[in-house]
Amino acid sequence: MAAIVPLAPWLHIDWMLAVGLGWLAVGVAGVLAMHRLALVAHLLFPLGGLLGLVLFGVSLDALLGTPEVAVLPIGLPSLPFHLRLDSLAAFFLMVIGAASAGISAFAAGYFRQGEGTAPGLLCLEYHVFLASMAGVVLADDAYAFMVMWETMALSSYFLVTANHRIAEVRGAGYLYITMARLGAIAILLCFGVLQAGTGDYSFANMRAQSLSPFWASIGFGLAVFGFGAKAGILPLHVWLPEAHPAAPSPVSALMSGVMLNTAIYGLLRVSFDLLQLQLWWWGALLLALGLATALFGVVFAAVQTDMKRLLAYSSIENMGLLFVGMGLALIFFGHGMLPMAALALTATLYHVASHAFFKSLLFLGTGSVLHATSQRSLGKLGGLIRSMPWVGWLTLLGVLASAGLPPLGGFVSEWLLLQSFLFSPGLPIPLLTMLIPVVAALIALVAALAGYTMVKFFGVIFLGQPREERLTQAHDAGRWERAGMLWLAAGCILLGLLPVQVIGLLDPVTRQLVGAGLAERVSASGWLLAPNSLEQASYGPVIFLLGIVASCALAFVGVRRLYHGRMRRGPPWACGFPWGSARMQDTAEGFGQPIRQIFEPFFQMERELPTPFDTKPTYRVTVHDRFWRWLYVPVTTLAQWLARWVGLMQQGRIGVYLLYSFLTLLATLVMVMR
């Protein structure tokens, strides 16, 4: 009797390929159930979320393992897909899986008939988008990477233009795909430089090349341009405030919380893995770009009156902070200060995870508000926490995390970033030693303005009185939407309460990229987070949380004892004015006025002011981006002018075209004979 040969155990990368194929199968099933909304929403999207949970669990287990490789014969005959799973890829796949699980659960209750695209087609585009993002992270050659990168861009374009019957949505989609094309060209040229003329575009071959400082800098510059265009770095940011508001809210959450992180992954892969030479001034370049982007994003977010545009500019700010963290890590690494490079890189990776959770949660909260009120304008909202308590309180958690307040995840990542700045005086270059503390102060300003913006966002939407009568009838989120938001809120809380454990998970990634980690140092302090030593700086999130709970409990007990349990209800104090109404409470424009006045040179503003004779006075301020007028309008004008001149050559006459061919032939012969 023949012996039964046991099947080889599945590797982590096999499970991840199965998840990707599962997402594609869910998308195909959506096409087969094109207009069956109940089946698509309540079966296929939850199934996609379950696959995201599987990806999260497998990536978490693979994070501490050894690298795994695979070759898929699905490309061209001599160009198969090379895949590789290492610690860096496992971390980003973990973020993709965790965030997509919550967003997919929310999407199961969000999508309705009349979104502009058939439910089954949305399901296909959505899950192809998820599978392509996972493919980008797993790719181990330029061919596979670019195929997955372009698939990600194309699928997200169709998702952005789901409501394609609206002209503004089509314009936003066109701008997005144009910037995506420019970025993809730069990334392709970067890979061309990294392969150093060998003709082998595998990442293993790129790692083996020793480029000169000149060519290494060219490759790095192309990577910054290409991945910076996807991340929304200044001045390549113009697509982001247009595309995110145009897309359905689950898609906005997926693009902001997940897709932007693939750009961070790509830049980390090129800078610390594929390039064997790291120059300190590369870090200074990223630091300057990141700082300018963060300041620009937070200032523009503070003056927005559209809630989705506000969150889009907030995403620009957070991408700037990530570039600052990567820049600081490169500066330290270029000077051989490996522990400090590990600290800055840990802060960057921590913020990647935190941003994925809180920004996805905020976009989902705006989606619930949009469905319940059909309003995106902050000036027409207010008091929604009474009619939408689930959405209000869960959004508050995302707001607190985005504002960088303890004990949530956003505080830990920004605190670690500031800690890395505090130890920069050890740098051997006096200019850097002098300038980096100034950058740290500006980062603190960005954090303060981010808190200001989040107070405006939450306060105007959920607090106060409803500005319109119909807002009192707004419905709360459904059970699928609540489940998705609860999952993301739990992520924000756990990232804030378990920093020591999370840094332990990040340790293999930092050791892979810079050869050092923080796990041993922080684990020695127990539950206290001390990235350098307890004497220098420490943070105890559990202690902080217990302090908040104890203070609230003492206040409650004190009030009960002092007033002997008696309660008296009365109208709220309004500075002695008894006739307050919703029209008199603070608006988004009024809240942002100090920022507009302070940073007025940043803005191009259009004001509509009332006169004393208006029977129905209105006040409107529109803020525009000066970069659009300074950079993109001249380029567009030049392109149109060149197109008109080229169009003059198209006479439609065969004789003219033969003349062109003859002249071209003569020019070629002259060049050859020389």
Side-chain angles (χ1 to χ4, degrees):
M1 190 173 178
I4 298 176
V5 179
L7 295 175
W10 274 31
L11 301 175
H12 295 101
I13 197 169
D14 298 325
W15 284 101
M16 292 174 179
L17 288 174
V19 170
L21 290 175
W23 274 331
L24 294 178
V26 171
V28 173
V31 175
L32 298 177
M34 183 67 71
H35 298 285
R36 300 176 64 181
L37 178 62
L39 177 63
V40 171
H42 299 151
L43 178 61
L44 297 184
F45 273 103
L47 186 57
L50 182 61
L51 290 171
L53 283 179
V54 173
L55 181 63
F56 169 72
V58 174
S59 303
L60 183 61
D61 189 60
L63 194 59
L64 305 176
T66 57
E68 301 171 6
V69 297
V71 179
L72 302 181
I74 60 174
L76 297 176
S78 58
L79 290 174
F81 279 16
H82 294 82
L83 307 179
R84 187 172 187 264
L85 175 63
D86 54 18
S87 297
L88 177 63
F91 168 73
F92 278 89
L93 287 169
M94 185 174 66
V95 174
I96 293 172
S100 65
I103 297 170
S104 297
F106 181 90
Y110 178 86
F111 286 117
R112 293 160 170 78
Q113 295 285 6
E115 291 286 345
T117 301
L121 192 56
L122 276 173
C123 180
L124 173 66
E125 296 161 356
Y126 180 92
H127 290 95
V128 169
F129 186 32
L130 288 176
S132 59
M133 285 192 290
V136 165
V137 177
L138 284 173
D140 197 38
D141 64 71
Y143 176 57
F145 188 96
M146 294 307 302
V147 169
M148 292 295 104
W149 188 265
E150 290 298 279
T151 305
M152 177 181 71
L154 193 61
S155 57
S156 58
Y157 163 76
F158 286 118
L159 288 169
V160 168
T161 57
N163 291 312
H164 51 84
R165 295 178 180 86
I166 302 174
E168 292 181 357
V169 172
R170 294 196 300 271
Y174 178 77
L175 180 60
Y176 168 60
I177 200 67
T178 301
M179 297 302 299
R181 296 282 70 74
L182 292 175
I185 292 171
I187 296 170
L188 186 60
L189 292 174
C190 169
F191 290 145
V193 172
L194 296 186
Q195 57 90 24
T198 61
D200 185 355
Y201 284 84
S202 67
F203 287 175
N205 176 65
M206 296 179 189
R207 294 185 187 97
Q209 304 304 315
S210 297
L211 299 177
S212 65
F214 174 78
W215 284 111
S217 299
I218 294 295
F220 176 79
L222 289 169
V224 171
F225 183 94
F227 294 116
K230 181 66 70 176
I233 293 298
L234 212 70
L236 306 172
H237 65 285
V238 292
W239 66 269
L240 205 151
E242 304 298 329
H244 285 193
S249 292
V251 177
S252 300
L254 207 58
M255 293 178 67
S256 181
V258 183
M259 186 191 72
L260 297 185
N261 288 336
T262 61
I264 304 301
Y265 163 81
L267 192 55
L268 286 173
R269 178 67 73 185
V270 170
S271 303
F272 291 96
D273 185 26
L274 302 185
L275 283 169
Q276 301 305 304
L277 178 67
Q278 287 83 26
L279 303 177
W280 70 266
W281 66 265
W282 295 355
L285 174 64
L286 292 185
L287 196 67
L289 285 175
L291 179 62
T293 302
L295 280 170
F296 177 89
V298 75
V299 168
F300 266 78
V303 300
Q304 295 303 309
T305 58
D306 183 293
M307 58 182 179
K308 294 189 73 174
R309 288 181 70 87
L310 185 150
L311 294 181
Y313 277 109
S314 175
S315 295
I316 294 175
E317 173 237 330
N318 282 279
M319 290 299 107
L321 292 179
L322 291 175
F323 266 62
V324 168
M326 287 189 291
L328 201 57
L330 272 173
I331 290 174
F332 288 133
F333 190 68
H335 289 98
M337 302 171 66
L338 300 188
M340 297 310 303
L343 175 57
L345 191 57
T346 299
T348 303
L349 297 172
Y350 212 113
H351 199 68
V352 165
S354 297
H355 179 256
F357 279 96
F358 70 68
K359 190 53 57 71
S360 299
L361 179 58
L362 290 176
F363 268 112
L364 298 187
T366 61
S368 293
V369 172
L370 183 59
H371 263 186
T373 65
S374 302
Q375 285 292 345
R376 282 177 19 187
S377 174
L378 294 174
K380 298 182 179 180
L381 298 171
L384 289 179
I385 199 168
R386 298 176 180 84
S387 55
M388 305 177 68
W390 275 93
V391 174
W393 288 107
L394 291 173
T395 302
L396 179 60
L397 283 174
V399 163
L400 295 176
S402 181
L405 295 178
L408 300 174
F411 173 81
V412 178
S413 58
E414 294 186 11
W415 185 78
L416 288 173
L417 182 60
L418 289 174
Q419 288 299 310
S420 20
F421 276 104
L422 293 177
F423 297 96
S424 60
L427 290 169
I429 300 178
L431 181 62
L432 287 178
T433 305
M434 179 178 63
L435 291 179
I436 285 183
V438 178
V439 176
L442 293 175
I443 293 298
L445 173 63
V446 169
L449 290 175
Y452 175 92
T453 302
M454 289 298 111
V455 169
K456 166 187 170 179
F457 173 80
F458 185 82
V460 173
I461 296 175
F462 292 101
L463 303 182
Q465 302 178 44
R467 290 180 171 84
E468 296 182 1
E469 182 63 27
R470 60 189 181 89
L471 296 181
T472 59
Q473 307 300 321
H475 60 85
D476 209 347
R479 61 179 184 273
W480 280 111
E481 296 163 291
R482 296 178 190 177
M485 295 182 70
L486 279 170
W487 171 260
L488 296 172
C492 295
I493 295 172
L494 291 177
L495 285 172
L497 295 181
L498 303 174
V500 175
Q501 290 73 18
V502 175
I503 289 175
L505 293 175
L506 296 177
D507 197 67
V509 186
T510 60
R511 291 190 180 278
Q512 175 190 340
L513 298 182
V514 299
L518 298 181
E520 294 182 2
R521 208 182 316 167
V522 299
S523 61
S525 305
W527 284 85
L528 287 176
L529 177 59
N532 290 285
S533 65
L534 287 172
E535 293 78 16
Q536 292 176 322
S538 63
Y539 167 63
V542 177
I543 298 173
F544 190 91
L545 179 62
L546 291 175
I548 294 176
V549 172
S551 300
C552 294
L554 286 173
F556 178 79
V557 172
V559 170
R560 296 284 295 183
R561 285 190 175 275
L562 286 174
Y563 290 94
H564 307 288
R566 293 174 296 174
M567 183 183 297
R568 181 173 63 87
R569 295 186 180 273
W573 175 252
C575 302
F577 188 76
W579 301 289
S581 66
R583 285 181 56 85
M584 303 183 65
Q585 63 193 23
D586 206 357
T587 63
E589 292 87 349
F591 207 100
Q593 184 181 13
I595 303 299
R596 289 200 308 271
Q597 295 294 329
I598 296 171
F599 297 96
E600 187 172 359
F602 281 84
F603 310 127
Q604 180 184 351
M605 292 188 290
E606 295 179 3
R607 291 185 174 92
E608 181 182 334
L609 302 176
T611 68
F613 306 100
D614 290 340
T615 56
K616 296 182 178 179
T618 59
Y619 173 76
R620 184 177 63 87
V621 178
T622 306
V623 178
H624 299 286
D625 187 352
R626 290 189 182 274
F627 277 98
W628 184 258
R629 188 184 67 175
W630 291 345
L631 181 60
Y632 291 93
V633 170
V635 171
T636 304
T637 304
L638 177 62
Q640 292 174 346
W641 181 81
L642 291 174
R644 285 195 300 269
W645 275 99
V646 171
L648 295 176
M649 300 175 63
Q650 298 176 343
Q651 301 291 328
R653 299 170 61 182
I654 188 66
V656 176
Y657 295 151
L658 290 174
L659 177 62
Y660 295 157
S661 300
F662 179 70
L663 293 176
T664 303
L665 180 61
L666 286 180
T668 304
L669 290 174
V670 170
M671 294 182 63
V672 170
M673 293 180 64
R674 288 180 62 185

